[in-house]
Amino acid sequence: MADRFKARAEAYVTREWQRRGAFAWCMIPLACVFGAIAAIRRATFALGWRERVNVGVPIVVVGNVTVGGTGKTPTVIALVEALRAAGFTPGVVSRGYGGKGAEPRPVTAASSAKQVGDEPVLIARRTSAPVWVARDRVACAKALRAAHVDVDVIVSDDGLQHYRLARDVELVLFDQRLAGNGFLLPAGPLREPLSRRRDATLVNNPFERTLPPWPDTFALSLTPGDAWHVGDPSLRRPLSQFAGERVLAAAGIGAPERFFATLRAAGLAPATRALPDHYAFDDNPFADERVDTILVTEKDAVKLNAWRDARIWVVPVEATLPARLIDLVVEKLRGRSPA
């Protein structure tokens, strides 16, 4: 019951952040306070009162200026593969949402999502690149570099507002909601003003709307692959094969509707269930669901360790980065030599 209430509350706020209604205007005073605090914090680094730390290798930050999921994890995975193809040896740092422990620690494909966070585990499984997590991105990047001396570029999964970590490239992601009503938190979804400087913008838009007229803005394409069975990943089925079954699509991600839209675009008409972002899956939330098949995201699948439901199939997605964006990132990195 509590999870359903939380999901409804999140859905309500997300809807209100798309318009300038009564909720947004009531929150404007708090948004002004939030904006002032954020501006002062940025200024302390811009004026040199607080030091940005160079960890010795180039840093690429993949983040967002809005609250909620925008597709950062598949973007990080695709970027790691693109950098590897360009001749780099990338590593990844992340805060590890929900993870335990403040000290930097490595993540492997066998790591517990409860200990290090769901997204880092997924990145480690998909890329086999060195992945480290810690709340302090600077300490995390230093620890990764000390443990993997061959790493010559680090991708930061989120951390756009972690200004102490010096960076060479900033990629900002949006989804179809873009900047919503354009207000700062809590009146709107923005953590920082939309005018914030960045090297490039990626828009993850499954609804194929026109890209906004912003400089260096690219479309991010996410393509679903064959679903694999949670109990035996070697069992795979094209999504089209689920068309005649009673299907439930469930997602504990920042923007569950994007996952549902992907399945509909593949020809399915599933019942849907939005769970809170980073849902723990300590128990089976689908025990009472009368369906043949349950489709979940890869991010959710890394947390299904304590129990199994034979109806669950996992839908992977592949991010396709535009060649011009990859060229932009590689050019900036090659212009900066590791220390």
Side-chain angles (χ1 to χ4, degrees):
M1 182 66 69
D3 291 328
R4 289 183 183 272
F5 174 79
K6 183 179 179 182
R8 290 194 187 102
E10 289 179 352
Y12 169 78
V13 173
T14 299
R15 285 196 304 272
E16 292 302 307
W17 280 347
Q18 290 301 114
R19 66 192 188 98
R20 296 188 173 185
F23 174 87
W25 287 114
C26 286
M27 293 293 145
I28 283 294
L30 293 177
C32 291
V33 174
F34 176 86
I37 293 172
I40 291 171
R41 183 166 172 264
R42 288 193 300 272
T44 61
F45 286 96
L47 296 173
W49 297 343
R50 297 176 67 184
E51 182 185 4
R52 296 183 188 272
V53 180
N54 186 332
V55 299
V57 295
I59 301 288
V60 181
V61 177
V62 178
N64 50 14
V65 294
T66 56
V67 172
T70 53
K72 290 188 300 295
T73 301
T75 299
V76 167
I77 292 169
L79 183 58
V80 167
E81 298 297 348
L83 291 174
R84 190 176 279 147
F88 293 94
T89 302
V92 178
V93 295
S94 176
R95 181 180 183 273
Y97 184 92
K100 299 177 181 178
E103 295 301 315
R105 60 193 302 181
V107 179
T108 69
S111 292
S112 164
K114 280 190 176 183
Q115 296 298 319
V116 299
D118 46 18
E119 290 152 345
V121 174
L122 178 55
I123 293 168
R125 289 183 181 181
R126 288 285 299 272
T127 68
S128 299
V131 179
W132 282 64
V133 296
R135 293 172 188 165
D136 185 336
R137 306 276 175 147
V138 172
C140 191
K142 288 181 175 179
L144 186 154
R145 192 179 179 218
H148 302 274
V149 296
D150 57 329
V151 166
D152 54 13
V153 60
I154 293 176
V155 178
S156 178
D157 174 25
D158 212 350
L160 204 63
Q161 290 78 36
H162 200 100
Y163 307 117
R164 197 165 69 92
L165 178 64
R167 69 283 308 267
D168 299 87
V169 182
E170 289 184 332
L171 304 182
V172 175
L173 269 73
F174 292 88
D175 63 9
Q176 76 283 351
R177 297 169 294 183
L178 297 178
N181 59 19
F183 289 157
L184 292 172
L185 289 167
L190 291 174
R191 299 174 179 175
E192 297 183 89
L194 186 59
S195 58
R196 184 202 198 281
R197 180 221 164 265
R198 58 231 191 215
D199 294 285
T201 301
L202 275 168
V203 179
N204 175 15
N205 187 0
F207 304 103
E208 299 182 355
R209 294 176 184 165
T210 304
L211 289 175
W214 302 336
D216 295 313
T217 298
F218 305 87
L220 174 66
S221 174
L222 294 182
T223 305
D226 291 347
W228 50 270
H229 192 263
V230 69
D232 182 359
S234 67
L235 295 178
R236 295 182 176 265
R237 294 175 63 185
L239 290 179
S240 59
Q241 289 189 2
F242 297 103
E245 301 178 7
R246 295 176 300 171
V247 175
L248 171 69
I253 59 177
E257 182 55 38
R258 191 169 59 242
F259 176 62
F260 304 151
T262 298
L263 298 180
R264 295 187 190 107
L268 303 184
T272 61
R273 183 167 173 186
L275 297 165
D277 193 14
H278 299 284
Y279 185 75
F281 288 97
D282 291 326
D283 300 304
N284 186 351
F286 312 122
D288 297 328
E289 298 285 356
R290 296 184 178 182
V291 295
D292 302 313
T293 301
I294 302 166
L295 299 179
V296 302
T297 70
E298 284 185 296
K299 177 179 163 182
D300 291 325
V302 302
K303 292 172 285 190
L304 307 183
N305 295 321
W307 52 269
R308 287 288 186 271
D309 187 320
R311 299 172 297 170
I312 295 179
W313 290 75
V314 183
V315 182
V317 293
E318 297 285 345
T320 302
L321 301 180
R324 287 197 302 121
L325 174 68
I326 296 171
D327 290 343
L328 181 152
V329 173
V330 169
E331 180 180 352
K332 285 182 176 291
L333 294 180
R334 286 183 173 154
R336 195 265 206 204
S337 301

